[in-house]
DNA sequence: ATGAACCTTCCAGTGCACGGGAAGGTCAAG
DNA sequence: CTTGACCTTCCCGTGCACTGGAAGGTTCAT
C-alpha cells in the first residue's frame, strides 16, 4: 500500500509517516520502480502500537526503544525485561498522578454541582475552584 | 517574598516564574521601590496548584483557564461546571488509555519474566515483545 | 496529452514549556 | 566602597512532535 493509503488507514498523515520513518519508528519500506513507498500490511499494526503509546503519553523515543528491541531481538533478555519494567514504573507513576488530579477535579466538580444556584449571585466571586 | 525565595519554596526557577507571569498564570506581583517582584504568600498555593496540574499532564493553557475563572469569578457558574466536567472527561479518557497500555506492557513483561532463559539463545529473535 | 491527484526530497516554521546568557541595576556584608 | 549575590529586561536557543510549502516526478482517467 502507498503512503497515502496507510495514512488514511491509520488515521494519520503522510507527513507523519515520513517523519516516523526518519525518526526510526517505521522501517524504510520497499519502493516501487518510481520510488514510491510500498508498505506491507504489518505497518498498520505497528502504527496502531505507536498510536496507543502516544495516546498514553509515551514519547516517540520510548516507543522507538520498545520497537527497536522487538525488531533486533539481539538485546539480552535481561535488558528487555528491564526496559519493560521501567516502562511499567513510568506508567504507574503517571497513573498515580492522574488519579490524584482526577480526585481533586472531581471534588471541585461535585461542590460546583451541589451548590445552590442562589449561592452564586452575579457580581460575586465564584468559589467553586 | 522575592522571586528567588518563591522559586526555592515551590521547587521551580525564577525563569519559570517570570514565564508564568508573562503567560497569565501568575498575576503580576507588587514591586519593591527598586522594581523587584514582591510576592504574597498565596502565590505558593497557586504554584502548587499549577504544579499538580502539570504533573498530571494538563497544559498551561488548561490550568490558566481554570485559574482565570477562579480569579475573575464573573464567569457563569454553569461555565465553571462545564469546564470542570470537560477536564474530568479528558482525565478519564487519559486514564483509560493509560490503563490499556499498562495492561499490554504488563503482559509483555510477564511473558518476559516467565520465559526460560534457555528459550532465548543468542542470535535468535527475542519474542517478548 | 492534459489535468488532477498522487508521490518524492528538502528546508523551514509551529506550539509548548521552558532554559541560557547578555547587559545592567540593587542590596547587604566586609 | 567594592564584592558577590541577587534582581531587572530582552532576546535567542532547545527538544519534542509534528506541519507547511516549494519544486519537481508519476499515475491515471478523460
Amino acid at each position: 500500500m502507498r503512503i497515502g493509503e496507510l495514512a488514511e488507514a491509520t488515521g494519520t498523515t503522510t507527513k507523519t509517516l515520513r517523519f516516523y520513518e526518519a525518526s526510526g519508528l517505521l522501517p524504510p519500506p520497499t519502493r516501487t520502480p518510481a520510488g514510491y513507498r510500498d508498505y506491507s500490511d504489518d505497518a498498520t499494526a505497528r502504527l496502531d502500537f505507536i498510536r496507543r503509546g502516544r495516546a498514553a503519553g509515551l514519547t516517540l523515543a520510548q516507543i522507538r526503544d520498545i520497537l527497536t528491541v522487538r525488531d533486533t531481538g539481539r538485546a539480552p533478555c535481561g535488558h528487555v525485561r528491564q526496559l519493560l519494567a521501567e516502562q511499567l514504573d513510568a506508567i504507574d507513576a503517571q497513573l498515580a498522578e492522574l488519579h490524584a488530579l482526577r480526585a481533586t477535579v472531581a471534588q471541585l466538580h461535585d461542590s460546583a454541582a451541589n451548590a445552590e444556584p442562589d449561592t452564586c449571585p452575579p457580581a460575586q466571586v465564584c468559589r467553586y475552584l
Side-chain angles (χ1 to χ4, degrees), chain A:
Chain A
M1 72 198 319
R2 286 181 309 180
I3 195 171
E5 302 174 82
L6 181 58
E8 172 90 7
T10 56
T12 179
T13 67
T14 61
K15 280 282 186 188
T16 297
L17 294 181
R18 294 194 197 93
F19 171 72
Y20 282 177
E21 181 181 333
S23 307
L25 286 140
L26 287 180
T30 58
R31 300 282 184 135
T32 69
Y36 286 15
R37 287 174 178 81
D38 190 18
Y39 291 96
S40 65
D41 283 0
D42 28 331
T44 64
R46 197 180 181 87
L47 279 165
D48 284 346
F49 183 88
I50 297 172
R51 194 200 55 76
R52 286 198 302 275
R54 287 293 299 132
L58 295 190
T59 68
L60 291 189
Q62 289 174 309
I63 298 170
R64 184 183 51 211
D65 286 349
I66 297 178
L67 289 172
T68 299
V69 167
R70 174 164 97 177
D71 292 343
T72 69
R74 293 171 313 177
C77 301
H79 177 246
V80 178
R81 275 193 293 270
Q82 184 193 342
L83 194 147
L84 289 170
E86 283 171 10
Q87 295 288 5
L88 265 187
D89 285 353
I91 292 167
D92 284 343
Q94 213 173 331
L95 275 172
E97 275 166 353
L98 212 47
H99 275 299
L101 184 82
R102 208 217 108 92
T104 77
V105 173
Q107 188 185 348
L108 291 173
H109 182 251
D110 284 353
S111 50
N114 295 334
E116 296 283 329
D118 293 348
T119 64
C120 190
Q124 181 184 335
V125 172
C126 182
R127 277 285 156 224
Y128 289 165
L129 290 173

